[in-house]
Amino acid sequence: MMAENCLKILLVDDEEVIHETIGEYLIECGYQVDNSFDGADALEAIKTRSYDLALIDVRMPGIDGLTLLAKSRQIDQKMTVILMTG
């Protein structure tokens, strides 16, 4: 059951295994998780939806995590961002 005021999290990583592990764990903890597999898709999600937290991989093809961080700040300065790297 999803809590009414749960965190909305955007998980951005180009590796499926990250979505299967971290994403599924967050869902099991009761968080609402949207998945993006590249920076361009994540940027569109940030433009159209509101997130409390974005977990962003630093190294991705196309728009990398640092570029996504800078662009996301122009859209939503209140969203917390955690950069991840393997």
Side-chain angles (χ1 to χ4, degrees), residues 3 13 18 24 26 32 34 49 56 68 70 74:
D13 199 296
I18 298 301
E24 290 300 319
L26 292 170
Q32 178 183 334
D34 287 349
R49 290 178 287 260
I56 302 174
L68 179 58
Q74 295 172 354

Side-chain angles (χ1 to χ4, degrees), residues 25-41:
Y25 175 76
L26 292 170
I27 290 168
E28 288 175 13
C29 290
Y31 300 111
Q32 178 183 334
V33 179
D34 287 349
N35 294 298
S36 288
F37 290 88
D38 60 62
D41 182 56

Side-chain angles (χ1 to χ4, degrees), residues 25-71:
Y25 175 76
L26 292 170
I27 290 168
E28 288 175 13
C29 290
Y31 300 111
Q32 178 183 334
V33 179
D34 287 349
N35 294 298
S36 288
F37 290 88
D38 60 62
D41 182 56
L43 195 56
E44 288 303 312
I46 293 167
K47 287 179 183 177
T48 60
R49 290 178 287 260
S50 176
Y51 293 99
D52 300 299
L53 171 67
L55 299 171
I56 302 174
D57 184 21
V58 172
R59 295 184 183 200
M60 295 182 292
I63 299 175
D64 65 24
L66 293 175
T67 303
L68 179 58
L69 170 63
K71 291 183 178 205

